[in-house]
Amino acid sequence: MKKGLWISGSIGALVLLAAGLILLPNPLGAKVLAEAKYRGYLRYTPEEALVIAYGRCSGCHTAEKMLKYCARCGPPFIVVVHSMKKYVELSNQKKETVRPFSDAEVVAVAQTWNALVGNWEPGWGEKNLKKLLQGDAALIRLLETPIEHRPIEAALKDRRAPGSYKE
């Protein structure tokens, strides 16, 4: 009887400790939540996606360059983000130390730039875009999701970035 009580008490204490770690504000809990979002277990909020889009992309490009991107200059952002994901993977093979994009991050970044600058996917045709995405399952799922059902893009759609290209 005492052994069963001891085991259930230990499990209960671990559950309470884990809940406290996640629910109470602290650096370790914030790291755990950030990693869970990076791995796709939790969704990014629109504000977090905005921070990620500027943070990850401005490591290589200026914000001005990203905001001046237009439909005539290249493919839609969903393809650009896929290319950047592949570029980071190739760079890391050459001993670079850039954290790879997770599927959750690329989906959040693509939605953010689509909302802030413009979504030009409809002008390209789904078949062509799928070919350019080279089997990237996360971005193909995003492509197949109607624009109004994309949570980050829908939340940011009325927030045009200052200085962004206007057709």
Side-chain angles (χ1 to χ4, degrees), residues 25 32 35 45 48 50 54 60-62 64 73 77 87 102 104 110 125 136 143 146 153-154 160:
V32 169
E35 188 64 25
T45 65
E48 290 168 333
L50 193 61
Y54 274 102
C60 301
H61 310 285
T62 64
E64 183 179 315
C73 299
F77 285 109
Y87 176 76
S102 70
D136 190 327
L143 178 65
E153 201 166 334
R160 285 282 187 227

Side-chain angles (χ1 to χ4, degrees), residues 23-153:
L23 297 176
L24 298 175
N26 64 72
L28 185 57
K31 262 189 147 173
V32 169
L33 287 175
E35 188 64 25
K37 288 178 181 183
Y38 176 81
R39 293 179 183 227
Y41 298 129
L42 299 172
R43 289 183 182 221
Y44 286 111
T45 65
E47 291 75 25
E48 290 168 333
L50 193 61
V51 169
I52 290 168
Y54 274 102
R56 291 297 298 246
C57 299
S58 65
C60 301
H61 310 285
T62 64
E64 183 179 315
K65 181 178 181 178
M66 293 177 288
L67 294 174
K68 297 294 183 197
Y69 191 80
C70 71
R72 293 177 302 196
C73 299
F77 285 109
I78 196 165
V79 175
V80 172
V81 172
H82 169 72
S83 298
M84 291 301 101
K85 179 181 173 184
K86 290 295 180 190
Y87 176 76
V88 167
E89 289 173 6
L90 292 173
S91 295
N92 285 340
Q93 289 177 357
K94 296 178 183 177
K95 306 292 185 218
E96 297 286 328
T97 56
V98 179
R99 185 172 188 189
F101 282 96
S102 70
D103 287 344
E105 274 186 324
V106 293
V107 167
V109 169
Q111 288 183 74
T112 301
W113 291 122
N114 280 345
L116 295 180
V117 179
N119 184 332
W120 301 296
E121 294 166 16
W124 275 68
E126 192 172 312
K127 182 180 176 185
N128 294 332
L129 289 174
K130 282 183 178 179
K131 186 176 180 181
L132 290 170
L133 291 175
Q134 301 171 330
D136 190 327
L139 289 175
I140 290 173
R141 272 194 313 275
L142 178 65
L143 178 65
E144 292 171 345
T145 303
I147 295 170
E148 60 275 0
H149 289 86
R150 298 176 182 184
I152 295 168
E153 201 166 334

